[in-house]
Amino acid sequence: MDTRKRILITGIGVVSVIGDTLKKYWQNLLDGISGISKISAFDAKDLPCRIAGQVHDFDPVALFGSKESRRMPRCGQMALAAALDAVADAGLPETMRDPERVGVCMGTAMGGQDFIDESIQTLRQGGYRKVSPFTSVGGIPNFPAFLVGKQFQALGPNSTIATACATGTQAIGE
């Protein structure tokens, strides 16, 4: 008898450089579309490399509204969008039926650095009164996992794996 634990993938959600939905991602993958292009997110003229993989078509305001989008770092916006797609793809309800049996485990190298950088610039230019109160929580790596848990009322274990290149594999293993 096989006693190994098994895993079942019930739904998939994607926000990537080749598509901000599973359908777009899959079609672009099949078509061999590259997500690498000239950097447009900031001025890269003084950098030795001016190409990168950027997510261009993702619109968090359309998904979450302006107010909520401002409260989330980009990594959190993308994680929540992918989770919404994965839950919809799986045919699961947005509020889990048995919330204490549902957990969130995510992997990341780092999170919310854009949020922290923006807040430091705001502090220097406009003073501390202009800094978002969401800076400290938005800059920590486990904030995207929190957002997903909150969205779906997943009250079970909530963890974030941050082990550099091994993160994805370790998060799936956990």
Side-chain angles (χ1 to χ4, degrees):
M1 180 165 133
D2 190 357
T3 59
R4 294 179 294 169
K5 291 183 180 182
R6 298 192 180 268
I7 187 169
L8 172 67
I9 298 171
T10 57
I12 300 172
V14 177
V15 176
S16 88
V17 299
I18 63 169
D20 63 341
T21 66
L22 178 58
K23 185 177 180 178
K24 286 184 204 173
Y25 169 82
W26 187 249
Q27 190 58 55
N28 287 336
L29 190 66
L30 292 175
D31 292 343
I33 303 295
S34 171
I36 306 303
S37 62
K38 187 175 178 182
I39 294 173
S40 61
F42 58 89
D43 184 4
K45 73 176 186 259
D46 294 330
L47 296 176
C49 179
R50 290 179 287 281
I51 60 170
Q54 302 172 99
V55 178
H56 293 285
D57 297 332
F58 179 67
D59 183 6
V61 175
L63 288 170
F64 311 119
S66 178
K67 183 178 177 180
E68 284 302 311
S69 293
R70 283 193 316 269
R71 295 178 173 180
M72 294 183 239
R74 189 152 166 89
C75 64
Q77 295 166 347
M78 291 181 179
L80 186 53
L84 285 164
D85 282 350
V87 167
D89 186 49
L92 295 171
E94 276 207 31
T95 301
M96 298 297 137
R97 290 186 191 108
D98 195 357
E100 289 165 358
R101 292 184 49 120
V102 179
V104 176
C105 181
M106 297 187 92
T108 186
M110 62 176 70
Q113 304 310 311
D114 59 327
F115 223 57
I116 292 170
D117 180 55
E118 185 179 306
S119 295
I120 290 170
Q121 289 184 41
T122 299
L123 175 66
R124 288 182 178 148
Q125 294 168 4
Y128 73 92
R129 293 178 195 264
K130 302 273 185 181
V131 175
S132 168
F134 298 97
T135 298
S136 61
V137 295
I140 56 178
N142 67 311
F143 192 61
F146 159 77
L147 290 171
V148 172
K150 179 180 163 219
Q151 175 71 34
F152 300 108
Q153 294 298 301
L155 303 178
N158 186 311
S159 63
T160 298
I161 308 296
T163 52
C165 295
T167 296
T169 302
Q170 187 171 346
I172 289 171
E174 290 294 320

